[in-house]
Amino acid sequence: MATLIGREIHLASRPTGWPTPDNFSLVEAPVPAVGPGQVLVRNRFLSVDPYMRGRMNDVKSYVPPFRVGEAMEGGAVGEVVDPGDSALSRGDLVLHQSGWREYAVLDAERTSALPPVPGLSPSVYLGALGMPGLTAYVGLLDIAGMQPGDQVFVSSAAGAVGSLAGQIARLRGASRVIGSAGTAAKVAYVRDLGFDAAFDYHDGPVSQALAQAAPDGIDVYFDNVGGDHLAAAISRLRRNGRAALCGAIAGYNAETPVPGPANLALVITKRLTLRGFIITDHRDRMPDFIKEMSGWLREGNVRFNETYVDGIEHAVDAFLGVFQGTNTGKMIVRLD
Amino acid sequence: MATLIGREIHLASRPTGWPTPDNFSLVEAPVPAVGPGQVLVRNRFLSVDPYMRGRMNDVKSYVPPFRVGEAMEGGAVGEVVDPGDSALSRGDLVLHQSGWREYAVLDAERTSALPPVPGLSPSVYLGALGMPGLTAYVGLLDIAGMQPGDQVFVSSAAGAVGSLAGQIARLRGASRVIGSAGTAAKVAYVRDLGFDAAFDYHDGPVSQALAQAAPDGIDVYFDNVGGDHLAAAISRLRRNGRAALCGAIAGYNAETPVPGPANLALVITKRLTLRGFIITDHRDRMPDFIKEMSGWLREGNVRFNETYVDGIEHAVDAFLGVFQGTNTGKMIVRLD
């Protein structure tokens, strides 16, 4: 049998500030042979996510950095093409972390077949039924402790996590849900998802837009952005308000530290709680989440948009696009 | 009976930035007659506290602002000189909020006699057994959720709240307690109280001093200061660390907003919680606190320093001194 050749994206060099295509390379490499206890999958959908920017730095963080000259990693849904001696079957779909490449060899023991979700693409396991969905669920309900009747503000509300956080808030009884996004089309999309109000943060100071959208203040802020958004939310949070700090995309590509909010003294006078979290600590919530979210998806109560970019040769464009806001909902690289 | 004349401190004008003696006036005024259900007390000890700076501004906050041209308010221990028709007796000591004056007329119904504390001045009810003590207790145990084995950092560790927070941490099983203070003498005092390490924040960047004092990091930060101290603590907090935000004296007299910490992204990656609180929300903890703290004081396990300034004519100096750090422990104005 001829050696199988697969394409994969390597980290070519570490970026300073905004990453550029030069920091990546598309490499053809022989796919390793399938050994005992292994399976070969052909990837169908690759996830590109903001957190991956952090792994491009040579900094020990909550996940180890990518290595220069090696394939990058990330969530992916693949199709089993050689089940080896495992219990899997050819054609089974599996979720794994060997993304950014066309073929992957996986440990069969740590791989199980995904149940199909009627009416939805298997890529849903990278979005609404995957880490972004769990992030929205845990951040809103466990970290921010949202209660029925709360007024909730979500930034990056057209994004994968934000669009789900707002919809979960509504379904769990929030009295008002407000979202921010970066284009007029995204604002329309966010309203269409059922948010009570939405604004384009390019239209003026976030603090003003939020004050108009939430005249009575907010109780919960789901932060995907940091920077001005966090400061505006602190100003707007009511007594005993809570912010779940999930992401700070505003600063991911900054070359020098971004000053923090100048209104932190309000955290004291308004008895606020700001709490950061990393979703991998909360895998124990996956069963509850899957049960509740599957029901919402099945009944059409949650909608989830995916932006597809086709072909591994465009994976880098897709990733860089996340920082420019070219996606609505989850950005997915789709392979043939 | 001749009308009784008492001296009291009025707010003469609202300060911009640092308050000056010109913002206050010492006024002689007739003491109101004691009506039915009222008692007359002569104040013995007046409390001056950093939070009163906020009440000098014309800003609605968690307590209403002082009024220009009227007597200021604050905690005081007074001695009953006319019990009227109440159950109190002449000579009883009472705790109340009509400080900043020599005489006060109080509602008897809301006033009860303080039990004497053997070996301690009755002013202990303004400090170790009063709001500063409760603040230290609740902030450390409830807000920051300190657990045995935690490493704890306390700023303003020679102050009323900070000196108690550090001692409570030790008594409740902290594995290491670190304090910061503003003079070499205060640092020596803090070490003498049983803190494992202490530093003078004037000796260099707080972040460096804290890194040396807490080489393994910290789990809990009790913040009385804000500013550089908070940023340094965020850098030093370990995974799942917690900060109780109690005060931000660094910014109380600032005329323009002070930028927040530039390292807030660490709140996410290290899963930190920053939580503000106001002690008046937590009066329900007073019985537990009094029981535990009384025992510690009785057994000599908690030491508490008071800095006395004598005479109401020096009350303003005492108050302004709190911002300059002229006190070690609780600043008290003592009246004859």
Side-chain angles (χ1 to χ4, degrees), chain B residues 35-56:
Chain B
Q38 290 185 323
V39 297
L40 173 67
V41 306
R42 183 173 66 81
N43 280 333
R44 297 267 311 275
F45 302 97
L46 308 178
S47 187
V48 290
D49 301 282
Y51 82 88
M52 294 170 172
R53 174 64 186 84
R55 297 190 68 183
M56 298 180 73

Side-chain angles (χ1 to χ4, degrees), chain B residues 12 51 60 64 73 90 111 114 118 160 182 247 278 295 328:
Chain B
Y51 82 88
K60 202 184 123 204
E73 291 166 6
R90 187 182 304 260
T111 307
L114 292 169
I278 296 293
T328 299

Side-chain angles (χ1 to χ4, degrees), chain A residues 61-62 230 245-248 257-262 264 267-269 271-278 280-281, chain B residues 61-62 230 245-248 257-262 264 267-269 271-278 280-281:
Chain A
S61 179
Y62 61 96
L230 179 56
L245 308 194
C246 173
V258 180
L264 266 193
V267 172
I268 303 176
T269 54
R271 302 86 156 150
L272 307 182
T273 302
L274 311 183
R275 187 172 165 204
F277 72 108
I278 295 293
T280 47
D281 294 349
Chain B
S61 180
Y62 60 96
L230 179 56
L245 308 193
C246 175
V258 180
L264 267 192
V267 173
I268 304 175
T269 52
R271 301 89 155 149
L272 307 182
T273 301
L274 311 183
R275 187 172 166 205
F277 72 108
I278 296 293
T280 48
D281 294 349

